[in-house]
Amino acid sequence: MAAARSHTRYAPDRGLTARMATTMFLIGLLYVVFVGVLMALMRGAWPIILLIAGGLFIVQFWFSDRIAAYSMGAREVTPQQAPELHGAVDRICALADMPKPRVAIADSDVPNAFATGRNQETALVCATTGLLRRLEPEELEGVLAHELSHVAHRDVAVMTIASFLGVLAGVMTRVWLWGGLGRSSRDSSTAIAMILIPLVSAVVYVISFLLTRVLSRYRELSADRAAALLTGRPSALAAALTKVDGEMARIPTRDLRKAEPFNAFFFTPAFSSKESLARLLSTHPTLEQRLDQLGRISAQLGR
């Protein structure tokens, strides 16, 4: 049944599909190498390594949507509690011919939205109170269409899995250091492993971080494009982007700092930098890039 509903009216993006496949292949290869190195260095501890790696993967994949929603303060709402939000989601789902996700609201003045879920059947879409208060109905529909395209294209699940390796690297390093510090420093193999494991973990983290950032920036452009084509109103999405970006400057820095760890999930980042190096490490393309793409789509639709 799930397979029958996997196709939607969102425009397919072969570039996104190719990038997701490449990222998953490289991340998978890196994962195998990382676990192999750990097993070689930790020798008799391989059952613990496999247990931790497998347990973390299950938690990350199966419960990531709940963890993300809880961390960002999202609470599910009924159509009676949030009729405007549910109505907008209903219209987008009807346009896209996809199952309606769970709908949630996060009590935050930071104007943003996000979607989580392994697939269309487990998806959740959430808008903050700050976003709902600031956007016009057409602008809100543009944002929701953007978020639901992440679900339709399955890049939410790919980003969840891809980010797992960095989490694993950090956890494995801590486990080893806690266990290794109690061992005799005269054990040369332990001393070498104490040096190599943090080093290997750091390299793995950096590589997985860069791979997910490159994919993240492309998937945001892909979601903008898919939303604009689905709704036929790229100008509404552009207006929402411009408005949200401008409103971010009025949000207290402490609130933005709380939201910053979840940038990869959000419609727009809590912080954005115009520095070239920072832009390479950003989860999102620049506002100028996004508006330029929407302007081209608007011109094409107008012909």
Side-chain angles (χ1 to χ4, degrees):
M1 179 175 170
R5 299 300 303 274
S6 62
H7 296 292
T8 69
R9 294 196 184 105
Y10 275 105
D13 190 324
R14 293 185 178 83
L16 177 63
T17 302
R19 284 169 172 80
M20 289 194 297
T22 301
T23 299
M24 289 305 297
F25 173 77
L26 294 175
I27 287 287
L29 181 61
L30 196 61
Y31 175 75
V32 171
V33 171
F34 178 60
V35 172
V37 169
L38 286 181
M39 291 176 66
L41 291 174
M42 296 176 72
R43 296 178 183 175
W46 66 266
I48 298 177
I49 295 173
L50 293 180
L51 182 63
I52 293 175
L56 283 175
F57 180 80
I58 291 172
V59 170
Q60 184 84 351
F61 184 72
W62 289 99
F63 301 105
S64 61
D65 52 343
R66 301 177 193 177
I67 294 171
Y70 176 80
S71 300
M72 289 180 264
R75 57 181 177 84
E76 287 190 51
V77 290
T78 65
Q80 291 72 34
Q81 293 171 318
E84 295 84 3
L85 179 57
H86 269 273
V89 173
D90 284 335
R91 288 190 289 275
I92 295 303
C93 289
L95 274 177
D97 188 27
M98 66 185 292
K100 184 179 179 179
R102 292 172 292 147
V103 178
I105 292 178
D107 187 14
S108 171
D109 194 44
V110 179
N112 236 316
F114 66 89
T116 66
R118 302 184 309 277
N119 50 48
Q120 294 180 27
E121 285 67 38
T122 63
L124 176 144
V125 62
C126 177
T128 65
T129 52
L131 186 80
L132 296 174
R133 188 170 61 253
R134 290 174 171 91
L135 296 190
E136 299 297 325
E138 285 191 354
E139 296 168 346
L140 177 61
E141 287 186 16
V143 173
L144 294 174
H146 169 105
E147 292 304 325
L148 288 175
S149 76
H150 288 314
V151 176
H153 289 150
R154 300 174 182 264
D155 55 83
V156 171
V158 171
M159 283 295 293
T160 298
I161 298 171
S163 63
F164 162 72
L165 189 57
V167 174
L168 176 64
V171 170
M172 284 298 188
T173 300
R174 289 183 177 87
V175 169
W176 173 251
L177 289 176
W178 289 338
L181 287 175
R183 301 180 185 181
S184 172
S185 59
R186 291 174 294 181
D187 185 343
S188 59
S189 63
T190 299
I192 293 173
M194 289 282 286
I195 296 172
L196 289 180
I197 288 180
L199 180 61
V200 171
S201 297
V203 171
V204 167
Y205 176 79
V206 169
I207 294 175
S208 62
F209 179 88
L210 293 176
L211 286 172
T212 53
R213 285 301 187 269
V214 171
L215 176 60
S216 181
R217 288 193 296 274
Y218 185 88
R219 84 183 188 114
E220 294 302 331
L221 287 173
S222 175
D224 284 347
R225 181 167 53 251
L229 292 173
L230 179 73
T231 62
R233 295 193 298 267
S235 59
L237 182 56
L241 276 167
T242 303
K243 186 179 291 186
V244 169
D245 186 75
E247 290 293 329
M248 285 292 185
R250 299 181 176 88
I251 304 298
T253 302
R254 66 177 182 277
D255 294 337
L256 294 178
R257 291 294 181 195
K258 291 179 183 177
E260 190 176 14
F262 308 108
N263 272 351
F265 287 96
F266 281 145
F267 170 63
T268 57
F271 283 101
S272 58
S273 175
K274 296 187 181 300
E275 299 295 330
S276 56
L277 179 59
R279 283 165 56 182
L280 288 174
L281 303 179
S282 175
T283 56
H284 290 63
T286 64
L287 176 63
E288 291 75 15
Q289 289 174 310
R290 298 176 76 173
L291 293 179
D292 181 63
Q293 175 182 247
L294 290 172
R296 292 195 303 271
I297 294 173
S298 183
Q300 292 169 3
L301 293 177
R303 283 202 291 265

